[in-house]
Amino acid sequence: MTTTPHTPQPVLRTDFQRTVAAYWDNTHTGDDVNVLLGDVDELYHHHYGIGDYDRAVLEGAPQQREKAVIRELHRLESAQADLLLDHLGPLTAHQRLLDAGSGRGGTSFMAQRRFGCAIDGVSISQYQVDFANAQALRHHVADRVRFHFRNMLDTGLDTGSRQAVWTNETTMYVDLGQAFAEFARVLAPGGRYVCITGCSNDLTGGRSQAVSRIDTHYSCNIHPRSAYFNALAANGLTPITVTDLTPQATPYWELRARSHLATGIEEAFLRAYKEGSFHYLLIAADRT
Ligand code: GPP
Ligand code: MG
């Protein structure tokens, strides 16, 4: 990674960031759902799925059914990442990308396969960085896809060095103003930022119980919808596509709720989506 000279600061700067890092380093490492799903094809995701599911996966003998459900949930999660990549714009292999909040690396590896680009991922979880770099070796792309223990609010990447930046369900862990300022800085003029996120609905007046429950479950801080557009506008990021993915996101949670993999948060998502207090959004914006 090329770095800009800057005063070195600790990666974790606030109590909130330390809590988030500890969650992903410790609490969320025995996460059977994500590991079982990732084992299907060695693409390990930390986001949800989109699209309808095949009802046949819920039929059959228990063992066969469990395997089928795992494959189906993974297929929906990979479809979500594919949709995100669809919005990164035309890219050529010499361009460089940033995965901000890169988790176990699933979306980065899919991007590398599709575009051939070099990708840097940043995460404040050392566990995730180590896991994802080990995956890069296994996939034989360690020279093209690199993960760093860095804060997405201060990536150290060169100004204007990225043709595209994305956040796949990670912005609920950061201050949007600070994050978008950093993304705007590293993006080349005309570069693209793509965000998939869950956000609360300003119109329903305050945070619903279901949204608060999701925050507590994941130690995150879900932002209201308006906060995204205010922070984009304030940082020279101009939306070109905004899609409400909520209807496409719901079947994933219905299948998860009915499966042996339910973790207990499924009903909160289903309730939040149904009552309209929460949206699953895709936003693509250009650096203008
Ligand atoms: C899923 O991670 C994403 C988050 C924890 C961020 C919160 C996202 C929102 C849209 C509110 P995961 O794949 O590790 O979760 P799980 O283990 O439940 O599958
Ligand atoms: Mg998951």
Side-chain angles (χ1 to χ4, degrees):
M1 178 171 65
T2 325
T3 52
T4 308
H6 67 307
T7 315
Q9 290 200 50
V11 173
L12 305 175
R13 292 174 197 171
T14 64
D15 285 341
F16 178 68
Q17 289 172 11
R18 280 185 280 274
T19 305
V20 171
Y23 174 80
W24 293 99
D25 278 344
N26 306 312
T27 320
H28 211 72
T29 50
D31 49 340
D32 296 341
V33 189
N34 304 304
V35 173
L36 282 170
L37 267 56
D39 284 345
V40 168
D41 60 3
E42 296 218 32
L43 289 172
Y44 295 87
H45 298 307
H46 278 292
H47 57 258
Y48 312 123
I50 54 161
D52 206 359
Y53 68 88
D54 179 0
R55 301 300 186 268
V57 299
L58 290 169
E59 291 158 14
Q63 224 185 351
Q64 182 192 347
R65 174 188 148 126
E66 286 181 10
K67 271 195 183 155
V69 166
I70 287 170
R71 295 192 75 84
E72 189 65 353
L73 286 170
H74 186 64
R75 185 181 68 78
L76 300 182
E77 291 187 1
S78 291
Q80 187 267 25
D82 262 328
L83 182 74
L84 187 156
L85 300 182
D86 288 345
H87 288 83
L88 288 181
L91 292 167
T92 51
H94 74 277
Q95 291 172 318
R96 293 186 290 168
L97 317 180
L98 167 63
D99 181 353
S102 43
R104 285 182 165 116
T107 309
S108 279
F109 296 122
M110 289 173 64
Q112 204 284 326
R113 285 178 198 173
R114 193 191 292 199
F115 304 114
C117 296
I119 299 165
D120 289 289
V122 296
S123 168
I124 60 170
S125 162
Q126 186 70 59
Y127 167 85
Q128 288 188 334
V129 168
D130 293 343
F131 185 102
N133 278 327
Q135 284 304 116
L137 285 171
R138 283 183 68 88
H139 292 308
H140 306 289
V141 290
D143 56 331
R144 301 293 288 160
V145 188
R146 295 190 177 94
F147 300 94
H148 314 274
F149 177 61
R150 287 203 169 206
N151 197 314
M152 73 167 93
L153 304 179
D154 177 19
T155 61
L157 296 170
D158 278 347
T159 299
S161 64
R162 306 289 132 169
Q163 185 59 32
V165 175
W166 72 83
T167 49
N168 199 348
E169 292 185 18
T170 60
T171 45
M172 58 289 295
Y173 288 104
V174 291
D175 177 283
L176 294 179
Q178 289 177 32
F180 294 172
E182 176 66 352
F183 302 161
R185 184 188 70 76
V186 301
L187 276 171
R192 174 67 55 84
Y193 168 55
V194 179
C195 170
I196 293 187
T197 191
C199 56
S200 59
N201 187 358
D202 301 83
L203 288 178
T204 46
R207 169 172 304 254
S208 69
Q209 207 178 34
V211 168
S212 296
R213 182 147 158 48
I214 297 168
D215 270 349
T216 305
H217 183 85
Y218 291 108
S219 293
C220 66
N221 177 29
I222 292 167
H223 302 293
R225 177 158 43 115
S226 60
Y228 281 87
F229 297 93
N230 291 336
L232 288 168
N235 287 287
L237 295 167
T238 305
I240 177 79
T241 306
V242 179
T243 310
D244 180 5
L245 296 174
T246 309
Q248 296 176 61
T250 307
Y252 169 87
W253 288 105
E254 286 168 350
L255 176 58
R256 211 169 124 155
R258 297 179 68 186
S259 79
H260 66 294
L261 294 171
T263 59
I265 198 59
E266 290 74 16
E267 293 309 327
F269 275 91
L270 288 167
R271 185 150 46 92
Y273 285 153
K274 196 169 164 201
E275 72 192 6
S277 65
F278 187 58
H279 308 291
Y280 196 55
L281 281 198
L282 179 146
I283 305 166
D286 289 327
R287 171 79 175 97
T288 47

